[in-house]
Amino acid sequence: MLDIKFIRENPEIVRRALEQKGGTLDLDALLALDAQVSELRRKTEQLQAERNANAKAVSKARPEERAALIEKGKEIGQQLAQLEPQLRELEGQLKNLLYLTPTIPWEGAPVGPDDSFNVETRVHGNPRIFLFEPLDHVTLMEKNGWADLERAAKVSGSRSYILRGDLMIYEQALLRFALDQMVRAGFAPLSVPSLTKEEVLFGHGQFPTARDQVYSVDGEDAFLAGTAEVLLNYLHAGEILSEDELPKTYCALSPCFRSEAGSAGKDVRGLMRVHQFNKVEQYVLCTASLEESNKWFDTMLSISESILQALELPYRVLEVSTGDMGLGKYRQVDLETWVPSENRYRETHSCSALLDWQARRANLRYRDADGKVRYAYTLNNTALATPRILVMLLENHQNEDGTVNVPKAVQPYFGKERLGPTP
């Protein structure tokens, strides 16, 4: 969310950001409600001051004056009893509107309503030219007995999968490989729960707008997280860190869950879009410095690129448009990896800087060198997500006999140079 003071002073800047990002917030309604809250808060504070002054007067009053002062105190108390619930109700309404405010996007972001306005900035590697008829990843899995999609659907429904044999081991090897790259880069590895609370999802920014993407546990304040970032972003909620404790650089390996609402008919075959997956996530909490945020953005993007390069996969870099990046993001760059069977690139990594948008929601603060308490900046990026990356690895590294080569960087983790058929 944005600072209400900034919104009051810069309504046209906020209005333009809402237009660029496709926001649904009625900014005029927010400003009107803010004015109403401010006035009611002023009245309430004035009455509280009068009550305090009256209470002091009672303690010092002569006996003949005390009854009138006590009666006055009761009247003030009755007025406060009416105003305070109104104030709390309106403050809650204002907070709900503030949740819908956008981060002002950086000036270099392509302006457009959707992903068709994303801009390719560079390409790394060339798509492989096959000397045989390549297979798609589903056919490769079926040929080698590497997955059981039918039985997975029987026990778990659509968009589920079961990996078998070498492919199951390969997935685990890839996740550990990615985790090790993050640790070598200086990120602290964490394990995080899959269950999270509603307030945490509000702090992250997934609520209130994307509830349909989240699985909930009936009868409990419990939801299945769609990314470890949700929980990493709330670890220090409510704390006041010292500036020398920052940056906090975390990575986490966790199962992730998404309902994929609205994706009916898209990627229903295979491993591209599933309800449960595994991900190594990068997360940074840093000081409120644009220079510092930009530095970590470049660092996190570089880590993801180095992982794709180690996996020997061709990819491209996209500067994401204002309408595609979401409300909270200052800047977003996606990495898309080549899928031979589709003859196109598909997204595998998403690097995002959110400035203080999440920090204000989650109350992530630190005390700077001058003693001032400030909201921190946050960033996140994928290190590696499976099983999606298996689509690219299987298809790009396949052999004519159906076996699949393992990139040299992962061979020590997997123990073999190729994936072979499951006995």
Side-chain angles (χ1 to χ4, degrees):
M1 63 173 65
L2 289 177
D3 180 4
I4 186 61
K5 182 180 178 182
F6 176 87
I7 298 172
R8 292 172 191 150
E9 296 174 353
N10 303 277
E12 293 311 311
I13 293 177
V14 178
R15 201 180 307 278
R16 183 167 61 251
L18 282 165
E19 292 172 356
Q20 291 176 342
K21 292 192 168 190
T24 59
L25 171 68
D26 184 337
L27 185 59
D28 292 329
L30 183 149
L31 290 169
L33 183 58
D34 173 55
Q36 191 177 357
V37 168
S38 296
E39 176 61 19
L40 196 56
R41 190 178 289 142
R42 185 193 64 77
K43 289 181 179 178
T44 301
E45 290 172 353
Q46 182 179 358
L47 284 170
Q48 289 170 339
E50 289 180 14
R51 181 177 60 184
N52 293 338
N54 189 76
K56 290 180 181 179
V58 168
S59 64
K60 298 177 181 179
R62 294 191 297 270
E64 62 272 19
E65 299 172 331
R66 188 166 295 149
L69 290 171
I70 291 173
E71 185 61 30
K72 181 181 178 181
K74 289 180 180 179
E75 292 175 0
I76 295 173
Q78 290 171 353
Q79 293 179 60
L80 282 171
Q82 292 180 335
L83 290 181
E84 287 173 339
Q86 295 177 32
L87 178 59
R88 287 193 296 270
E89 172 66 23
L90 293 179
E91 286 175 334
Q93 293 178 20
L94 179 61
K95 186 174 184 180
N96 287 335
L97 292 181
L98 286 170
Y99 279 138
L100 303 177
T101 56
T103 295
I104 311 304
W106 81 298
E107 63 279 3
V111 177
D114 53 40
D115 60 2
S116 67
F117 287 82
N118 295 347
V119 175
E120 179 186 289
T121 58
R122 53 192 167 85
V123 176
H124 185 277
N126 298 310
R128 178 181 172 185
I129 298 175
F130 289 90
L131 302 179
F132 58 91
E133 188 66 30
L135 305 176
D136 67 25
H137 75 284
V138 175
T139 306
L140 280 166
M141 292 190 301
E142 291 172 344
K143 179 175 181 176
N144 290 285
W146 287 335
D148 197 334
L149 302 181
E150 289 186 9
R151 290 190 176 93
K154 181 173 70 174
V155 299
S156 298
S158 63
R159 300 191 187 278
S160 56
Y161 66 97
I162 293 172
L163 301 183
R164 303 176 70 242
D166 275 1
L167 193 57
M168 184 273 175
I169 302 299
Y170 192 33
E171 180 190 35
Q172 299 304 310
L174 289 163
L175 292 167
R176 182 53 194 266
F177 163 74
L179 188 62
D180 281 357
Q181 307 316 300
M182 295 304 308
V183 172
R184 290 193 185 100
F187 284 65
L190 281 75
S191 65
V192 296
S194 296
L195 288 173
T196 189
K197 299 178 179 179
E198 184 176 53
E199 67 184 71
V200 179
L201 287 156
F202 270 101
H204 169 261
Q206 192 151 18
F207 284 3
T209 56
R211 278 184 176 270
D212 60 348
Q213 294 293 327
V214 182
Y215 288 111
S216 63
V217 179
D218 288 345
E220 296 187 35
D221 178 18
F223 302 81
L224 291 173
T227 169
E229 177 208 341
V230 171
L231 297 108
L232 296 175
N233 185 65
Y234 214 74
L235 291 181
H236 298 286
E239 301 175 24
I240 300 179
L241 303 171
S242 60
E243 186 170 342
D244 58 12
E245 291 181 85
L246 298 178
K248 296 289 187 183
T249 56
Y250 294 134
C251 62
L253 168 57
S254 69
C256 306
F257 303 84
R258 294 182 187 173
S259 71
E260 294 294 347
S263 63
K266 298 179 181 178
D267 302 315
V268 295
R269 183 172 179 268
L271 305 179
M272 186 64 72
R273 193 187 298 270
V274 292
H275 289 309
Q276 178 180 345
F277 55 99
N278 300 298
K279 184 151 68 90
V280 178
E281 180 75 1
Q282 311 179 51
Y283 176 84
V284 171
L285 180 72
C286 69
T287 57
S289 158
L290 191 55
E291 180 181 3
E292 182 79 354
S293 177
N294 290 340
K295 181 193 78 172
W296 282 109
F297 189 92
D298 292 341
T299 297
M300 297 168 79
L301 184 60
S302 176
I303 292 171
S304 294
E305 288 197 62
S306 70
I307 288 173
L308 285 177
Q309 290 167 18
L311 296 180
E312 303 168 26
L313 293 170
Y315 65 90
R316 67 173 181 169
V317 182
L318 291 180
E319 196 69 54
V320 175
S321 72
T322 55
D324 193 35
M325 69 169 60
L327 280 179
K329 296 176 183 179
Y330 168 72
R331 184 186 179 191
Q332 179 179 335
V333 168
D334 283 358
L335 301 181
E336 293 189 341
T337 306
W338 182 253
V339 182
S341 66
E342 300 182 14
N343 197 38
R344 63 169 173 154
Y345 296 93
R346 298 293 299 269
E347 183 258 314
T348 52
H349 297 75
S350 188
C351 188
S352 302
L354 297 98
L355 303 188
D356 61 358
W357 190 83
Q358 285 181 324
R360 289 182 178 277
R361 302 169 76 103
N363 200 20
L364 302 169
R365 298 171 297 166
Y366 71 98
R367 194 180 305 277
D368 67 16
D370 297 324
K372 182 180 179 181
V373 175
R374 307 186 65 182
Y375 287 103
Y377 282 4
T378 64
L379 305 95
N380 65 81
N381 189 13
T382 316
L384 191 77
T386 64
R388 176 170 287 205
I389 199 68
L390 294 175
V391 174
M392 293 76 174
L393 286 164
L394 293 178
E395 294 194 11
N396 281 283
H397 296 324
Q398 63 180 291
N399 300 306
E400 189 170 7
D401 63 358
T403 60
V404 173
N405 295 330
V406 176
K408 289 183 179 179
V410 186
Q411 289 176 11
Y413 295 85
F414 184 61
K416 294 190 294 185
E417 296 181 358
R418 292 185 179 185
L419 281 76
T422 299

